[in-house]
Amino acid sequence: MKLNKEWHLNHPMPKNPTFEQKVTWHIEHQKNCSCRPVPAKLAEEMKKSGIRI
């Protein structure tokens, strides 16, 4: 897996993020970096909410 260091430096995860902020960040992360998958627990909640990864 390849880390996009520049993207990570310019897009930090907010402190104490809401569910919506986590979803938005991880969707953009998947588009721009392949260093890791969406965490399983969040992916499960996204699926329950009808949000596609």
Side-chain angles (χ1 to χ4, degrees), residues 17 19 21 25 28 31 35-36 41:
F19 174 72
Q21 288 174 312
W25 190 91
E28 288 303 310
K31 291 178 185 176
C35 70
R36 63 177 180 243
K41 187 174 178 182

Side-chain angles (χ1 to χ4, degrees), residues 3 7-8 12-13 15-16 18-19 24 26-28 30 33-37 42-43 45-46 48:
L3 173 73
W7 187 88
H8 276 275
M13 175 69 80
K15 292 188 186 259
N16 300 315
T18 64
F19 174 72
T24 299
H26 281 284
I27 289 172
E28 288 303 310
Q30 291 298 304
C33 186
S34 62
C35 70
R36 63 177 180 243
L42 179 60
E45 290 298 317
M46 290 169 70
K48 287 180 186 176

Side-chain angles (χ1 to χ4, degrees), residues 1-20:
M1 292 191 209
K2 183 148 172 80
L3 173 73
N4 182 340
K5 183 178 179 181
E6 184 177 335
W7 187 88
H8 276 275
L9 291 173
N10 291 314
H11 299 88
M13 175 69 80
K15 292 188 186 259
N16 300 315
T18 64
F19 174 72
E20 291 79 15

